[in-house]
Amino acid sequence: MLATHSIAEDILHLKQERGAVILAHLYQEPEIQELADAVGDSLELARKAKEFDGEVIAFCGVWFMAETAKVLNPTKTLVVPDREAGCSLVDACTAEQVRAFKRRHPDHVIVSYINTSVEVKAETDILCTSRNAVNVVNSIPAHKPILFLPDINLGNYVKKQTGRANMKIWQGTCIVHATFPARRLTAARTEHPDALVAAHPECPPDVLRMADFIGSTSAIIDWCVKAEADEFIVMTESGVRHMLEKRAPGKQFHFVPNENCNCSECPYMKRNTLEKLYASLRDLTPRVELTPEIMERALAPIERMLAVK
Ligand code: 13P
Ligand code: SF4
């Protein structure tokens, strides 16, 4: 079967047989994005996961995103093409560390970025993504102290935007965005003097200071599409190039290599391939399996986040 059809055709056939839906993050390879029923950033995909009827969701993104979708759809089967599609931010903060913080600071509201394990979410008061983090923090009464976790750059950005002095910030980083050096952005601006700069808030503060626009993955795409300029330096994962070029053909997009891989690709996101997507739909594994107790505890902070714009 695999020999006579293209892998993409086989996936679509299997998807129909399974009554499955494919969700893809904007950092996935173009061929995966093209097969998906919905493509988006982490907030859009969390919302989309609730909208579809399918029995099976193949989540082409990283594991914590699929866990979030599972919590929102406890009766559905959630698969991810590669079990090792993780995230350095998830690894930066464990549930036990959050419990220890809560024991020492019981008055703090715990605000967690969606890039956390489901166990950390279960210890959280309200979640956020890069798209709604400022609004989430603003939704918390001003007198309440906050712990924002786990991304230090997003946390500092949100603290600056909200003017919130009573906010502690965890020290985690994204291996992709946090290693974009300002000097490489400076060099890119010299090379492309007419280009505007768009950056994800996981980037370091000296990179953010040079940005004309700061926003989530989808917000960056929307801004570049609508902006009057024709040329952009895009300080995020280079998977967004596919959607940028699709929605704004004729505009030019430049990506800056980071100091982690000398590229701008997330090694976790890129573990997913069409072959692994096919196998995950065929075998229904790697599958997200969570206990009812953890799902119940993680649901409340996720729903609080979804209620904030
Ligand atoms: P978005 O919320 O912009 O999709 O970001 C997710 C992510 O992992 C960024 O590195
Ligand atoms: Fe995690 Fe960074 Fe990869 Fe996003 S780009 S999934 S934050 S490691």
Side-chain angles (χ1 to χ4, degrees):
M1 182 177 164
L2 280 171
T4 52
H5 298 87
S6 76
I7 182 97
E9 285 169 326
D10 287 325
I11 290 169
L12 291 175
H13 183 73
L14 196 50
K15 180 174 99 93
Q16 201 168 14
E17 248 177 45
R18 288 269 185 228
V21 163
I22 300 175
L23 301 182
H25 191 268
L26 287 150
Y27 298 169
Q28 294 293 284
E29 296 287 8
E31 59 268 26
I32 295 183
Q33 295 191 37
E34 285 301 310
L35 278 184
D37 297 278
V39 182
D41 67 12
S42 57
L43 182 61
E44 290 167 331
L45 293 178
R47 291 194 200 281
K48 284 280 175 210
K50 272 176 56 158
E51 284 171 19
F52 285 105
D53 289 335
E55 295 292 298
V56 175
I57 300 177
F59 206 115
C60 300
V62 289
W63 196 257
F64 74 79
M65 295 180 180
E67 283 181 337
T68 309
K70 175 69 180 172
V71 171
L72 289 166
N73 298 275
T75 60
K76 291 185 186 173
T77 300
L78 252 298
V79 294
V80 180
D82 191 312
R83 177 62 187 93
E84 301 306 313
C87 172
S88 62
L89 284 169
V90 173
D91 297 341
C93 181
T94 67
E96 187 39 48
Q97 288 172 311
V98 182
R99 282 192 287 271
F101 178 92
K102 287 188 350 179
R103 282 194 292 274
R104 288 197 308 278
H105 307 279
D107 57 335
H108 278 56
V109 177
I110 309 293
V111 180
S112 296
Y113 191 26
I114 196 167
N115 297 40
T116 44
S117 69
V118 71
E119 291 81 11
V120 167
K121 289 182 175 75
E123 300 296 334
T124 293
D125 295 301
I126 184 164
L127 277 175
C128 68
T129 73
S130 53
R131 185 176 266 245
N132 64 6
V134 169
N135 292 347
V136 164
V137 168
N138 278 333
S139 75
I140 298 163
H143 67 278
K144 295 207 173 181
I146 291 175
L147 170 65
F148 186 96
L149 62 86
D151 188 75
I152 187 172
N153 292 328
L154 177 63
N156 281 325
Y157 170 72
V158 170
K159 189 168 181 168
K160 203 169 152 196
Q161 293 297 306
T162 58
R164 191 96 186 200
N166 54 354
M167 186 168 141
K168 294 188 175 65
I169 301 167
W170 206 265
Q171 302 287 303
T173 54
C174 159
I175 51 168
V176 182
H177 294 87
T179 59
F180 284 131
R183 61 182 162 72
R184 288 192 179 175
L185 173 55
T186 304
R189 286 209 304 187
T190 307
E191 199 181 335
H192 310 288
D194 296 332
L196 296 183
V197 178
H200 195 282
E202 289 172 12
C203 293
D206 49 0
V207 167
L208 295 182
R209 269 195 292 279
M210 282 190 258
D212 298 291
F213 177 79
I214 298 168
S216 75
T217 303
S218 284
I220 287 175
I221 295 171
D222 291 342
W223 182 79
C224 291
V225 169
K226 288 188 196 128
E228 294 287 323
D230 290 328
E231 208 179 348
F232 301 86
I233 300 168
V234 184
M235 303 302 289
T236 190
E237 214 272 358
S238 53
V240 302
R241 179 188 286 285
H242 180 62
M243 194 57 79
L244 282 167
E245 289 181 347
K246 215 169 147 172
R247 289 188 52 198
K251 291 193 178 186
Q252 274 191 68
F253 303 100
H254 310 289
F255 289 80
V256 172
N258 66 29
E259 281 185 319
N260 183 48
C261 59
N262 215 20
C263 69
S264 30
E265 293 194 344
C266 172
Y268 302 107
M269 287 276 183
K270 296 311 200 248
R271 291 191 69 92
N272 295 327
T273 61
L274 284 184
E275 287 71 18
K276 291 179 199 172
L277 171 58
Y278 178 84
S280 67
L281 279 168
R282 182 192 60 206
D283 305 335
L284 295 184
T285 183
R287 191 186 308 196
V288 178
E289 291 188 280
L290 305 172
T291 64
E293 193 235 334
I294 204 87
M295 286 199 278
E296 198 186 313
R297 291 182 55 215
L299 182 60
I302 296 173
E303 286 194 324
R304 280 184 210 118
M305 169 188 80
L306 292 176
V308 176
K309 286 279 160 224

